[in-house]
Amino acid sequence: MAEKEIWFVTGSQHLYGPETLNQVAENSQEVVKGLNASKHIPIKIVYKPTVKTPQEITDVCLEASSNKNCIGIITWMHTFSPAKMWIKGLSVLNKPLCHLHTQFNAQVPWESIDMDFMNLNQSAHGDREFGHMMTRMRKNRKIVVGHWQTDRVQQKLGNWTRVALGWDEFQNLKVARLGDNMREVAVTDGDKVEAQFRFGFSVNGYDSSDVVAHMEKSSQEDIDALVQVYEDSYELSDKLKVGGEQRQSLVDAAKIELGLRSFLEEGNFTAFTDTFENLGELKQLPGIATQRLMADGYGFGAEGDWKTSALLRALKVMASGMEGGTSFMEDYTYHFTPEKSYVMGSHMLEICPTISEGKPSCEVHPLGIGGKEDPVRLVFNAPAGPAINVSLVDLGNRFRLIVNEVEAVKPMGELPNLPVARVLWDAKPNLEVAATGWILAGGAHHTVYTQALTTEFMEDFAEMAGIELVVIDKDTSIRNLKDQLNANETYFHLFKNNL
Ligand code: MN
């Protein structure tokens, strides 16, 4: 992340003479300085000299497109920059674009304003000319409106920058798939070739024996040291403590974590999947190993779910350093009451401890499916508060991103017999509409659950990827949603190759 940068490109033309252009350059550098000082923007904004001709515009767009560290550009028309000059540059630009519609000075200087001032500060129409061309060319972009020194504008730019980081990760990501898909399951599967074309990430298959080969390389010291980390970090159940009847399961779990971690590091994978049906020589379904790898930033999807795995990795990159955790999740069971209904989210094992409230307990229990030994897992509750659930599905002719805004609540009971991490949430606008909408939209049972990111991030992400976004929030009505889904069916069919 330290090497990544956003380029700041100011558009103008030669019409105004060198004095005005010098002032434009000075002001732009001042804006860049201000943005770099903002706590909301996680990476460096790099000032680029003002572009004044079609050639200069094309050159900076080509450079941005080929520069590995540049993950996006912010454009601003301080003065007027006739937009036909931008056609070629925008045609070749392949990085995300954020159009900052701002003005150097916040307020009109009522006493001193004259025509020179007006000509220097004309983004109010300069940015509209530029915006028209982007619309005419059907270019996806983010538009941020407001004074550049305000918290709101800097936060919007910062959020977009985070999404650009996630998109950059998506484009270069390698997903390792250990085993195939859970047999006969539809939504976790999909078109991996189309995904690579659309999103950049690759998904390739490996076998549990590849992990076992790495497990065999780990020394007794490595295993002992990791078991010690478990002892120090979690509340171990009695069975797992020294002398406990299932202590060996903890040692086996540590071996699996070491092997899996080594396998992922060697292959430069930052996301993976597994499935309980293809475990081979692995004694347990990876539980604590997967949970700890997710906590370290790896993407994960259970039962071969490579889309959720890649999505989790991208969202973890976006949320890096932010408050709140991000985890693999599944809609598991319901709590219906006459007043209100809730979803309990969980999985067989693999919920990320970044969403844990307090110190997780480390436990071992039978799995009930898969026919392997009892897996070790971290068990915890998640804190109350707002979050979103995000699902990426393959509809056959396109990908759709679905978001449901939720409010996590404290469980109404202690859940002493539930051996998995869990979250209870109130889905917006209510369970009836949320679940109806989700099912109509074809949303998966697997999701990415994040307390750190909001719908706005997902909106920017869908724009960058050129895919459909369906949001279920407090304003959702089923009749409107049906119309939206029908309209999108036509839209994405017509523009499939342009987006
Ligand atoms: Mn599942």
Side-chain angles (χ1 to χ4, degrees):
M1 240 168 105
E3 292 162 7
K4 302 293 179 185
E5 52 195 40
I6 298 284
W7 290 7
F8 190 95
V9 179
T10 310
S12 189
Q13 59 178 329
H14 278 296
L15 189 68
Y16 314 107
E19 210 175 304
T20 301
L21 286 173
N22 284 341
Q23 195 59 51
V24 165
E26 231 172 78
N27 292 352
S28 295
Q29 287 172 73
E30 186 75 20
V31 171
V32 170
K33 222 170 114 188
L35 298 182
N36 276 321
S38 168
K39 65 176 191 293
H40 296 298
I41 299 172
I43 60 167
K44 196 167 41 179
I45 310 286
V46 177
Y47 167 80
K48 290 284 157 186
T50 313
V51 288
K52 305 165 294 292
T53 65
Q55 193 57 53
E56 287 173 0
I57 291 167
T58 305
D59 287 348
V60 79
C61 289
L62 280 170
E63 276 172 48
S65 299
S66 64
N67 187 299
K68 271 191 181 173
N69 291 334
C70 173
I71 60 162
I73 70 169
I74 296 173
T75 54
W76 171 43
M77 306 304 121
H78 189 321
T79 56
F80 199 75
S81 184
K84 289 205 287 191
M85 301 200 303
W86 284 84
I87 293 173
K88 195 168 179 186
L90 291 174
S91 307
V92 296
L93 182 70
N94 64 15
K95 298 284 167 81
L97 187 149
C98 179
H99 181 189
L100 175 60
H101 184 44
T102 190
Q103 183 169 278
F104 185 68
N105 61 299
Q107 298 181 11
V108 170
W110 302 108
E111 295 306 317
S112 62
I113 187 167
D114 57 11
M115 253 351 258
D116 285 345
F117 183 94
M118 294 271 276
N119 281 333
L120 181 64
N121 298 286
Q122 50 177 306
S123 58
H125 60 279
D127 272 328
R128 284 167 207 256
E129 162 74 1
F130 176 71
H132 167 76
M133 185 47 70
M134 297 280 287
T135 296
R136 167 85 192 250
M137 293 174 71
R138 275 76 177 171
K139 287 286 278 188
N140 282 2
R141 78 282 199 187
K142 169 88 169 177
I143 302 170
V144 176
V145 180
H147 193 249
W148 57 278
Q149 282 176 315
T150 57
D151 214 46
R152 181 69 194 128
V153 163
Q154 293 181 356
Q155 190 170 32
K156 283 199 153 205
L157 288 173
N159 291 356
W160 175 83
T161 301
R162 287 182 168 281
V163 177
L165 281 165
W167 176 242
D168 178 62
E169 178 67 18
F170 228 38
Q171 304 244 288
N172 298 295
L173 170 59
K174 288 171 69 184
V175 183
R177 208 152 175 254
L178 297 163
D180 197 9
N181 203 60
M182 179 177 165
R183 289 166 208 141
E184 305 288 4
V185 175
V187 78
T188 49
D189 221 327
D191 188 339
K192 298 191 279 288
V193 178
E194 185 66 17
Q196 188 161 353
F197 168 62
R198 181 64 63 186
F199 303 124
F201 65 75
S202 68
V203 183
N204 284 298
Y206 294 85
D207 190 76
S208 60
S209 63
D210 295 309
V211 176
V212 171
H214 281 264
M215 284 166 64
E216 284 162 359
K217 285 190 236 162
S218 54
S219 67
Q220 192 57 46
E221 290 76 47
D222 294 338
I223 296 164
D224 293 344
L226 186 54
V227 169
Q228 189 59 49
V229 170
Y230 294 169
E231 301 250 8
D232 297 342
S233 312
Y234 315 112
E235 300 287 350
L236 258 55
S237 66
D238 289 344
K239 284 181 187 170
L240 294 177
K241 286 179 180 159
V242 181
E245 59 194 277
Q246 286 193 279
R247 180 69 174 183
Q248 186 56 40
S249 298
L250 195 68
V251 176
D252 292 340
K255 280 186 196 163
I256 292 174
E257 178 178 337
L258 288 167
L260 194 49
R261 202 177 276 276
S262 163
F263 164 77
L264 294 170
E265 280 170 7
E266 190 189 72
N268 282 320
F269 301 110
T270 50
F272 69 105
T273 71
D274 62 19
T275 166
F276 62 93
E277 288 172 332
N278 296 139
L279 290 178
E281 296 302 309
L282 293 180
K283 285 188 180 174
Q284 315 167 3
L285 176 63
I288 189 172
T290 297
Q291 291 179 293
R292 286 169 44 83
L293 284 161
M294 273 193 276
D296 288 340
Y298 283 92
F300 172 76
E303 291 100 42
D305 188 346
W306 51 272
K307 292 190 297 300
T308 306
S309 179
L311 186 67
L312 176 58
R313 171 61 187 169
L315 267 56
K316 277 183 174 285
V317 169
M318 288 180 211
S320 171
M322 290 176 79
E323 227 173 278
T326 300
S327 177
F328 175 69
M329 189 56 69
E330 178 167 300
D331 293 83
Y332 224 101
T333 202
Y334 285 138
H335 180 54
F336 286 119
T337 77
E339 298 77 39
K340 211 172 191 15
S341 299
Y342 301 88
V343 182
M344 191 185 296
S346 188
H347 204 258
M348 290 191 297
L349 305 170
E350 310 93 335
I351 300 297
C352 177
T354 56
I355 65 164
S356 170
E357 183 171 53
K359 197 177 191 179
S361 70
C362 182
E363 305 177 14
V364 61
H365 302 274
L367 192 59
I369 53 172
K372 290 284 179 171
E373 292 182 15
D374 301 353
V376 178
R377 79 288 304 276
L378 299 172
V379 181
F380 51 85
N381 284 316
I388 54 172
N389 269 313
V390 190
S391 169
L392 178 65
V393 295
D394 182 350
L395 293 179
N397 63 344
R398 69 184 186 279
F399 291 98
R400 171 182 281 165
L401 193 67
I402 306 158
V403 176
N404 186 200
E405 297 184 359
V406 305
E407 183 79 24
V409 299
K410 192 176 153 48
M412 294 78 180
E414 288 300 312
L415 303 157
N417 290 310
L418 186 66
V420 285
R422 61 275 177 157
V423 196
L424 189 72
W425 65 74
D426 172 14
K428 304 289 166 199
N430 55 59
L431 181 61
E432 186 184 344
V433 173
T436 305
W438 191 271
I439 290 168
L440 276 173
H445 50 280
H446 286 168
T447 60
V448 175
Y449 175 88
T450 172
Q451 306 159 324
L453 306 171
T454 60
T455 299
E456 185 186 8
F457 288 82
M458 296 304 101
E459 200 177 336
D460 290 355
F461 191 55
E463 288 278 359
M464 283 180 201
I467 60 169
E468 182 186 6
L469 174 71
V470 173
V471 176
I472 300 168
D473 63 9
K474 65 177 175 40
D475 298 324
T476 297
S477 88
I478 293 302
R479 197 175 298 156
N480 290 344
L481 184 72
K482 280 183 181 170
D483 288 344
Q484 180 196 340
L485 296 178
N486 285 338
N488 283 353
E489 197 72 67
T490 316
Y491 173 83
F492 282 90
H493 178 72
L494 285 173
F495 294 103
K496 186 170 195 271
N497 297 318
N498 287 356
L499 293 168

